[in-house]
Structures are given as C-alpha cells and as structure tokens.
C-alpha cells in the first residue's frame, strides 16, 4: 500500500494511498482529524472524493466517459435506454430475459395514482416543470413508503423509473392546457413518453422513429456522470436514510440550477438572444471574457472535462443528423457552431480549458423534437434518473456507509457574553440621536 506523508507543526504523518481501477490516485484522509487535529479544506470539493464507486468513470483530460466500464460512444451507438438503466442500477448488461422482465415492469408501473392528477391542478400553469417534478417525485413517498424501515427499494426503483416520465409528460400537458395522455403498454419507454407528450385525443399520434432514436440517445448520454452536484446531493440525502423518492427529489432541485442541468435551458435562451441581436456572436464571446460582465457562455466549461465533453461531440453530430432527417434547419445550430469555433480559437477559453459541455447542443435536439425550452432540464432529469438511483443504491448498500457530515473552518466572532434585549435597547437608546424636531 502506497503512503502519503504530511508534515504539520514539525510532526510527520502518513496516510494510505488508494489507486483506482483506472489508476486514479486518492489519499485516504479518513483518519486525518483524529491523528493530526486538522481537517482538509476544499470548498466545492474540486479536489475531494466523497466515495469510491464502481458505476461511472470520467477522465476529464482525455474526454473519457464509461458506464460500468463500457465507453459512452459504444453504448450510445447501440444500446436502448432501458438497457442503460438496468446496467447502471444492477451493474451488468441484462440478458434478453432480464431486459424483457425489466421493461415489462417499467411498462406496468408507469401509471401514477389517480389522486396525484389533482396535485397538478394546485400548481399555477406557469409553474416551472422542474418545481413540479421535484414536488411530484417527493409526493410519491406518500403512496409507496414512509422511510428506510419499510421501503421496498427494488420495487420503488421500478416505480420511480416508470412514473417519472408520466409525471414529466403530465406536467407539460398541464402547462399547455391539454388533457393528460395516459401511458400505453404497447409502446417502448421512449415512444411512450413522446406519445404522452404529443398525442391529442382528437387524432392518433404515431411517434416518428427519428424522434424516438434521438430521445433514446439523449437519455443515454445524460444517464450518469459520477459525483456531480445533483448526484452528490442524492447520495448525501440518502446517507441520512431518507427514502428513495425524497432523495431523488433533492437531486432534481440541485439539477435545476443554471450552473448545472439548468444550463441547457439557458443555452437556448442565450442563442436566441444572440439571434435576436443580429447574430453578433463575437459580441457575446467578448462579454463572456469581460471580467466586469457576469455573462457566461452557457454550455461552456466543466469542472471535470478540461479537454472535450464526449457527450457534446456526439450531440453536435446528432443535432445535424436529426435536423436533416426531419428535413428542417435551426439557425441556432449555426450560431452554436460559430460560437464554438470562435471560442476554441480564443486564448481566454483555451487557457481556461472551456469547451462545449453536454448542455451546449442538447437543446438543439430537444427543439427539433418540439420539446419546449422550459422542459429541457426535465429531460436532463429523465435521463439522469437511473444514475441517481444507481448512486443512491450504491451508497445505501455500502455496509460501511455513514451519514454525510462535512466539517468547516470557523471564521466568525470569538466567544463573547450575551447582551440581554433590555440592555441592548438601553445601549441603543444611549447611542441613538434624538431626531431634531423641525418647527411646523
Ligand atoms: C453540467 O459536474 C458534472 O458532471 C455536471 C454535468 C453532469 O453531467 O452532471 O456535466 C452537467 O452541469 C454541465 C455544466 C453546465 N453549466 C454550464 O454550462 C454553465 C456555464 N459554465 C460554468 O458556469 C462553469 O464552467 C461550470 C460551473 C460548469 C464549471 O465551473 P468551474 O469549474 O468551477 O470553473 P470556474 O467557475 O472556476 O471558472 C474558471 C474560469 C473563471 O475565469 P477566471 O476567474 O479564471 O478569470 O473560467 C471562467 C470563469 O469565469 N468560466 C467561464 C465559463 N465557465 C468558466 N467564462 C465564460 N463562460 C463560461 N461558461
């Protein structure tokens, strides 16, 4: 076992070094405070591992993303989203029988309790669908569990994967004032979602194959991404033994932020702003570089990928292919490509290793499929669901798992005597100047 040495106040300490299966090196600081009295400080956890995991591997320098060891490029080229859900949650690619049984369960658990339909009426039609999704997912715990003690985790995993797409589609229908379209057992997971989104009672709706394939790809590419902000949130909430629905609901709220999953909505709004502004993308690149401006090139940059995001590469190509197959164009795609070209030649972005991330091109595809901008982050959540579940389950199944409880370094006031209110009032009045009475 390799060791790392630390010297503090003239005393030397040694800590074990863990080397992962992809040669990542981690210094095991689990005994740091007990042996040195000091803690490690790493705001944003950019240099801190919260766990060991066997689910997803990312190499930010090489632009590598693997689910359970399988390269994302190979999975994206030939897997179904249901296969990826099974792979992430249960750790191996399903056999034909396992996949048939798993898909059958997803199909037969896709309805939500009829009473839950009324919840949607309580939200204003303008409610953001991520708020609705987080609230509805937390509400599932009212029907299927009360906590860790009686939770049927395997059944709730199926329920969650099956019902979230129904909740997402219902929230869209509610927002546009159309009747809910119920799940259909004769459709695949992705077809069923698109059917619930776009079918109307007045005429039959057949899901175009190109849209079904595009959705399958989008969901797969978003399915997991190791310890990102929302996944770490899910694991942290799960560490207190909160039930699965409550834990996932917290992840949805974390994903909503514009620095995280909410970026895909912001990217399209940014591209539309550039188009409305005459397509002057250099102006926006310059704004993004201006330290006085808080404008950021949304969809650019990543905490881990410092070369390229393999998902963005796949999505850029898919966006062009899907638009061509649909026989349509999108001026925002050309603006996005020009932004990328200019930024990748600009020293500001090159020096900071800012490249397009998964959110930069995904919105072009969602638009081509007719999905409204406000639903983009819901689509991200739909894809990320199996990853959140897999990571939550990994934490819950760890016999050595403890409740997550980071430490801090305190910089506030040192110990001082409390001042009772009556003294404070007296002291304040002693110091407060009497208002000068101005003659009427
Ligand atoms: C996701 O973690 C994951 O895995 C997330 C995710 C997943 O699958 O779960 O990949 C999904 O969240 C993708 C990221 C989506 N967010 C955005 O596209 C929002 C725009 N990007 C950023 O705000 C930023 O790049 C982050 C939040 C993504 C990463 O931030 P970091 O790593 O903390 O980098 P930073 O904020 O410290 O920035 C470093 C420098 C700064 O400049 P200086 O202070 O050095 O002068 O780069 C600049 C930043 O100002 N910078 C940008 C920029 N992103 C960083 N400048 C302009 N435009 C940007 N987009």
């Amino acid at each position: 076992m390799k060791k790392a040495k630390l010297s503090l106040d003239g005393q030397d300490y040694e800590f074990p070094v863990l080397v992962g299966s992809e040669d990542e090196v981690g210094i095991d600081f689990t005994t740091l405070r007990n042996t040195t009295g000091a803690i490690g400080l790493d705001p944003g956890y950019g240099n801190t591992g919260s766990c060991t995991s066997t689910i997803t591997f990312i190499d930010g320098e090489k632009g590598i993303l693997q689910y359970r060891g399988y390269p994302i490029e190979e999975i994206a080229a030939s897997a179904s989203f249901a296969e990826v859900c099974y792979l992430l949650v249960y750790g191996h690619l399903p056999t034909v029988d396992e996949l048939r049984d798993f898909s059958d369960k997803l199909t037969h658990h896709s309805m939500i309790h009829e009473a839950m339909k009324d919840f949607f009426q309580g939200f204003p039609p303008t409610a953001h669908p991520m708020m609705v999704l987080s609230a509805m997912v937390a509400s599932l715990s009212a029907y299927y569990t009360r906590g860790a003690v009686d939770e049927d985790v395997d059944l709730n995993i199926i329920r969650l994967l099956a019902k979230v797409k129904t909740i997402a589609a219902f929230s869209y229908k509610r927002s546009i004032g159309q009747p809910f379209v119920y799940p259909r057992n004769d459709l695949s997971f992705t077809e069923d979602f698109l059917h619930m989104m776009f079918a109307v009672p007045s005429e039959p709706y057949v899901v175009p194959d190109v849209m079904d394939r595009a959705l399958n790809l989008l969901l797969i590419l978003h399915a997991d991404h190791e310890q990102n902000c929302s996944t770490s949130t899910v694991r942290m909430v799960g560490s207190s033994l909160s039930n699965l629905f409550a834990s996932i609901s917290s992840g949805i709220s974390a994903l909503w932020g514009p620095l995280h999953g909410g970026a895909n909505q912001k990217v399209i709004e940014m591209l539309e702003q550039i188009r409305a502004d005459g397509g002057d993308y250099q102006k926006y690149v310059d704004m993004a570089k201006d330290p006085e401006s808080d404008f950021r090139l949304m969809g650019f940059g990543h905490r881990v990928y410092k070369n390229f995001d393999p998902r963005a590469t796949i999505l850029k190509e898919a966006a062009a292919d899907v638009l061509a197959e649909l026989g349509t164009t999108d001026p925002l795609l050309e603006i996005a490509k020009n932004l990328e070209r200019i930024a990748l030649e600009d020293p500001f972005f090159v020096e900071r290793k800012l490249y397009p991330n998964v959110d930069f091109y995904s919105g072009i595809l969602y638009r081509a499929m007719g999905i409204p901008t406000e639903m983009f982050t819901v689509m991200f959540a739909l894809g990320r669901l199996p990853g959140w579940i897999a990571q939550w389950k990994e934490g819950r199944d760890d016999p050595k798992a403890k409740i997550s409880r980071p430490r801090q370094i305190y910089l506030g006031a040192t110990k001082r005597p409390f001042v009772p209110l009556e003294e404070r009032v007296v002291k304040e009045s002693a110091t407060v100047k009497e208002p000068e009475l101005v003659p009427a």
Side-chain angles (χ1 to χ4, degrees):
M1 170 74 79
K2 287 168 75 171
K3 296 278 189 186
K5 282 188 179 174
L6 171 71
S7 179
L8 180 63
D9 295 337
Q11 175 123 10
D12 291 342
Y13 303 89
E14 282 195 343
F15 296 94
V17 172
L18 176 68
V19 180
S21 48
E22 292 281 359
D23 298 327
E24 293 169 303
V25 176
I27 302 170
D28 182 343
F29 275 141
T30 46
T31 62
L32 177 67
R33 189 167 184 274
N34 288 341
T35 51
T36 71
I39 65 166
L41 187 61
D42 183 21
Y45 308 114
N47 304 283
T48 298
S50 59
C51 61
T52 59
S53 178
T54 63
I55 299 171
T56 293
F57 171 69
I58 299 173
D59 182 316
E61 280 63 37
K62 297 175 185 166
I64 292 173
L65 169 58
Q66 293 168 184
Y67 296 157
R68 300 286 189 183
Y70 298 103
I72 190 63
E73 294 81 2
E74 295 178 30
I75 294 176
S78 56
S80 70
F81 181 58
E83 273 180 289
V84 171
C85 290
Y86 191 100
L87 170 66
L88 289 172
V89 173
Y90 300 112
H92 66 273
L93 285 171
T95 62
V96 171
D97 291 342
E98 285 170 332
L99 183 58
R100 183 186 310 115
D101 175 57
F102 181 66
S103 298
D104 188 59
K105 285 175 180 168
L106 293 183
T107 297
H108 290 90
H109 284 275
S110 54
M111 295 269 281
I112 61 173
H113 194 292
E114 275 295 288
M116 288 190 78
K117 282 178 24 183
D118 300 338
F119 297 7
F120 290 96
Q121 307 316 319
F123 302 123
T126 54
H128 195 287
M130 281 298 275
M131 182 287 296
V132 174
L133 187 64
S134 180
M136 294 299 285
V137 166
S139 304
L140 287 171
S141 56
Y143 293 84
Y144 302 113
T145 185
R146 297 191 64 78
V149 175
D150 66 350
E151 184 163 22
D152 182 338
V153 170
D154 282 328
L155 180 52
N156 281 343
I157 287 173
I158 292 290
R159 283 171 170 146
L160 198 52
L161 286 167
K163 296 178 193 304
V164 167
K165 71 178 196 307
T166 306
I167 291 170
F170 281 15
S171 69
Y172 171 60
K173 287 298 196 185
R174 161 80 174 129
S175 72
I176 58 174
Q178 284 189 2
F180 296 149
V181 173
Y182 279 61
R184 273 182 37 184
N185 292 356
D186 61 323
L187 299 177
S188 72
F189 185 97
T190 45
E191 281 176 318
D192 191 26
F193 171 73
L194 292 170
H195 184 264
M196 288 190 282
M197 283 282 289
F198 300 120
V200 288
S202 48
E203 58 186 28
Y205 174 77
V206 177
V207 176
D209 181 56
V210 60
M211 283 178 49
D212 184 37
R213 283 184 280 113
L215 179 61
N216 186 65
L217 175 65
L218 280 158
L219 296 180
I220 286 173
L221 292 177
H222 286 84
D224 193 47
H225 216 238
E226 54 133 281
Q227 305 312 315
N228 58 83
C229 176
S230 53
T231 299
S232 298
T233 303
V234 167
R235 285 187 82 124
M236 178 165 282
V237 173
S239 76
S240 74
L241 297 186
S242 272
N243 65 69
L244 176 62
F245 304 113
S247 304
I248 300 299
S249 173
S250 68
I252 294 167
S253 298
L255 186 72
W256 191 4
L259 294 186
H260 192 12
N264 58 16
Q265 174 177 340
K266 296 297 179 192
V267 167
I268 291 298
E269 291 168 358
M270 172 187 74
L271 295 175
E272 283 175 331
Q273 181 185 353
I274 294 172
R275 181 175 61 167
D277 196 6
D280 182 0
Y281 27 80
Q282 186 61 53
K283 168 183 167 185
Y284 288 85
V285 168
D286 294 341
M287 274 166 54
K289 292 160 58 178
D290 178 359
E292 300 307 313
S293 161
D294 59 4
F295 175 79
R296 285 200 160 186
L297 220 44
M298 299 311 278
F300 262 74
H302 199 276
R303 176 61 60 79
V304 175
Y305 288 125
K306 298 304 179 188
N307 190 330
F308 66 95
D309 183 336
R311 303 166 298 177
T313 306
I314 295 170
L315 286 171
K316 178 180 179 181
E317 186 180 332
D321 294 347
V322 167
L323 287 170
E325 199 169 338
L326 287 172
T328 180
T329 59
D330 185 344
L332 301 190
L333 178 58
E334 289 317 305
I335 294 175
K337 285 180 174 177
N338 283 317
L339 269 181
E340 178 183 10
R341 178 177 49 79
I342 285 188
L344 297 190
E345 293 163 358
D346 187 309
F348 175 91
F349 292 89
V350 174
E351 286 158 10
R352 290 166 178 79
K353 300 184 176 182
L354 301 176
Y355 298 90
N357 58 50
V358 67
D359 295 312
F360 192 61
Y361 286 106
S362 57
I364 303 287
L365 271 165
Y366 293 135
R367 272 164 57 94
M369 295 161 67
I371 292 171
T373 306
E374 274 219 333
M375 282 285 289
F376 286 7
T377 312
V378 168
M379 299 307 294
F380 193 140
L382 209 53
R384 184 52 52 88
L385 190 55
W388 284 333
I389 292 171
Q391 299 273 354
W392 179 90
K393 187 174 183 296
E394 184 175 66
R396 185 57 66 84
D397 291 346
D398 177 358
K400 298 195 302 284
K402 292 182 178 180
I403 186 168
S404 296
R405 205 278 186 215
R407 305 300 297 257
Q408 65 165 22
I409 295 296
Y410 177 69
L411 300 177
T414 53
K415 186 177 176 183
R416 52 183 170 170
F418 180 75
V419 181
L421 180 60
E422 53 279 7
E423 291 180 34
R424 292 202 305 273
V425 168
V426 168
K427 281 185 181 172
E428 281 163 5
S429 60
T431 54
V432 173
K433 285 185 181 162
E434 287 301 319
E436 290 175 23
L437 297 180
V438 178

